[in-house]
Every structure is written in C-alpha cells, then in structure tokens.
Amino acid sequence: MLLPFRLSSDDQNPRLPLALYNIGFHAQHPISRPSGYLVPQCFIAFAGRGRVRFKDGKTLTLEAGQALILPTGQPHEYFPLPGAPWMVGYIGFKGRIAEELIRGCGLPFSTAIPLNDANTLMAPLKLLWELADQAESSRVSHISSLLYSFILQLSDLVALPSAPGSLPGSRPAEEALRRAAGYMQEHFTETLQMSNIAHVVGYSVQHFMRIFREAYGITPHAYLQGLRLNQAVKWMETQPDMPIKEIAGRLGLEPNYFIRAFKKAYGTAPGAYREELWKSGNGSRSSSSPPIDTSPGD
C-alpha cells in the first residue's frame, strides 16, 4: 500500500492551533532542502535505511522502526541507502502550537527516535491521508483531533533506552534540565506543579521526570523539596523569631507537611532543630545537620 504525496486542501485556519499540511507514504527518493521545510515534519521509516544530513555536517541514519521530527526551517537533505527500498511515511503539521505540542509530548527534534512498534502508526497515517483532501469544516476539525492523537500515540511508542543510567542523550535535553533546575531555584517559594515545570522546558511530565532522575539521581520533586528545606534552614539561622508556620507559608507548603518533610530530612522537627542550632552555634548550622545537596550532578 502506497500513499502518494498529498497536500491538505484546507487553507490555514487560524482557529485551529493544529492542522495537517501534507502527508504520504512511499519509497523515498533523495531530497535537498537548503532552507528547510515550511512546517515541522515527522518521518517514520517502515522499511530500509536512509541517511539524513544537516547543514552543520551532522548526519544520522534513519532505519526501519525509527521516527525523525524536523522543526520548521532546519536545512537538511536525505537519501536512501543501498539495500531494500527506504519506505517512509511523513506528516507535515501546521498551526501555532505544532512544535510546542511535539515538545510537550517529550518528542525530540532532529534525532532518530526508536519506536516499539512503528507499524501501528500505519493505520492512523492512512486515515489522515484519506481525509487530507476533504475541506469541509467538520472534517478539518476531525483531522486536527486525529493529528493530536497521532502525536500522543507516537510519544507512547518511543522506546526507552536500555541503560537507565544515562541521559537520553542530546544537548537539548541537557539544556532543558538545566533550565528546569534554574526555574525551580527561582520559583521554589511558589506553589509549583511538575506539569508547570515540564511545560516550561517543553516535555511531557512523564518524560521530564524520567530524564531528570536519570541525570541527577533524584526526582524533580526531591530536588525542589531540597531547595525549600535549605531555605528554611537559612531563615532559621538568620531570623530565629520567625514562626515555623510562617516559614512553611513562605515556602508555599502546608505547615504539617513541612514539619514532616523537615523531620524526615534532618531527623528532628524544625522547632527543635532551630533551638539546638542557636544553643550550639549561635546561628551557625550544626555540624551534625545533614546538608541537602541541591546542585545538579554532572
């Protein structure tokens, strides 16, 4: 079954944040795009192998069972490698949230993405192709919802790395985690949800939490809690009359939860800790207190 190149008959509809631009499935021939493509595009290799080359000299091989997503305007070229025909399905997305949604689902750009079962994407690909040249308003909205489902399904099919000790490996992922740590350092006194932090760096919650723990050895929640408890200790050192309830409130925590978390980390309640702190060191942190390391690892 081949699906020749098809351009969506729908004009850009500003009401729809996600819409179909183009779609197809066939044996891929060489393509050169020195100025990149007009929209973000997803490729799924169902058979054979091909080579993708970028302007900076970086190359990658896209093999059967892998996907590749290219952002708008990234210069590139690609061509099949000798052997079996390089059978590639592709979808171009348009709309103001297209790239944001892709990032939000934890899908990286410009790298080969291994999939657990790429063949399950053939049915939704075919359905979208069949609907692509139908411009009725009801069809257009339906296509938008199918595209959203397709991106979610693609995200669910991403094969996790077999070695959990390493960051899934890209400089963008490392930079995203540094941004997440910086965001928590700036906003730890606010009520933060993991979904908010993941959104800031463009990943799904599940993917963000997984790569954060793989990189830093603790969960993002534990990292955030460490920042808060360290700040609590600083306030105890410098403002001995500040009520525990006020400290908890300044950290955006419910007092009973703060007390439990502090006791778990330091082995004593915050009130007793502060009393001992001022008895033993006149405001200096007791040497027996276990410091909480909130600096990300290498």
Side-chain angles (χ1 to χ4, degrees):
M1 176 195 68
L2 300 180
L3 306 176
F5 173 88
R6 179 167 282 178
L7 193 65
S8 173
S9 60
D10 171 47
D11 292 332
Q12 176 69 46
N13 185 340
R15 183 179 63 83
L16 290 174
L18 182 67
L20 181 65
Y21 182 76
N22 70 317
I23 190 167
F25 166 68
H26 50 73
Q28 188 60 60
H29 57 277
I31 293 285
S32 177
R33 294 195 175 105
S35 299
Y37 203 55
L38 297 173
V39 298
Q41 197 167 22
C42 174
F43 303 87
I44 301 123
F46 290 96
R49 300 163 64 241
R51 183 70 46 78
V52 183
R53 181 178 293 122
F54 299 99
K55 185 177 180 179
D56 62 2
K58 173 188 173 184
T59 64
L60 62 84
T61 300
L62 191 66
E63 303 181 349
Q66 295 181 331
L68 169 68
I69 306 174
L70 298 180
T72 304
Q74 181 178 33
H76 63 275
E77 61 180 346
Y78 51 84
F79 49 89
L81 293 174
W86 191 29
M87 304 300 296
V88 177
Y90 52 89
I91 295 182
F93 306 95
K94 60 185 178 182
R96 60 184 180 274
I97 70 163
E99 291 194 7
E100 180 183 354
L101 179 59
I102 291 167
R103 289 191 180 93
C105 288
L107 294 167
F109 284 94
S110 309
T111 187
I113 306 170
L115 304 176
N116 286 318
D117 187 1
N119 290 329
T120 60
L121 295 171
M122 182 57 72
L125 188 75
K126 183 175 184 295
L127 176 58
L128 283 163
W129 182 84
E130 292 170 345
L131 295 172
D133 64 348
Q134 302 179 31
E136 298 90 342
S137 58
S138 60
R139 293 282 188 179
V140 171
S141 298
H142 182 48
I143 289 173
S144 182
S145 65
L146 290 176
L147 285 172
Y148 180 73
S149 297
F150 182 89
I151 294 171
L152 289 177
Q153 184 177 359
L154 180 63
S155 178
D156 288 340
L157 289 173
V158 173
L160 300 180
S162 57
S166 61
L167 185 66
S170 64
R171 192 165 295 173
E174 295 172 355
E175 176 59 29
L177 292 179
R178 281 192 290 269
R179 285 170 53 209
Y183 183 82
M184 285 188 274
Q185 290 165 11
E186 293 176 5
H187 299 278
F188 66 85
T189 59
E190 303 169 17
T191 302
L192 293 179
Q193 302 291 331
M194 286 303 114
S195 57
N196 301 137
I197 301 169
H199 176 75
V200 166
V201 298
Y203 286 115
S204 69
V205 176
Q206 294 82 358
H207 187 68
F208 165 66
M209 293 180 70
R210 178 175 64 82
I211 65 173
F212 192 102
R213 183 163 190 165
E214 290 174 357
Y216 297 155
I218 59 174
T219 67
H221 180 271
Y223 180 79
L224 178 60
Q225 183 166 283
L227 290 171
R228 288 168 168 163
L229 295 182
N230 272 1
Q231 182 60 54
V233 169
K234 290 177 182 178
W235 284 334
M236 290 178 191
E237 291 174 346
T238 59
Q239 303 181 53
D241 295 327
M242 184 186 296
I244 299 301
K245 184 176 181 180
E246 183 178 343
I247 292 175
R250 287 192 180 189
L251 295 172
L253 299 175
E254 191 273 331
N256 289 336
Y257 175 83
F258 167 68
I259 292 170
R260 290 196 303 271
F262 192 100
K263 191 171 183 179
K264 182 177 181 180
Y266 285 85
T268 186
Y273 178 91
R274 179 169 57 188
E275 182 177 354
E276 182 62 28
L277 181 72
W278 280 83
K279 280 182 179 179
S280 61
N282 193 27
S284 302
R285 181 179 295 184
S286 169
S287 61
S288 63
S289 304
I292 300 174
D293 183 8
T294 55
S295 59
D298 296 331

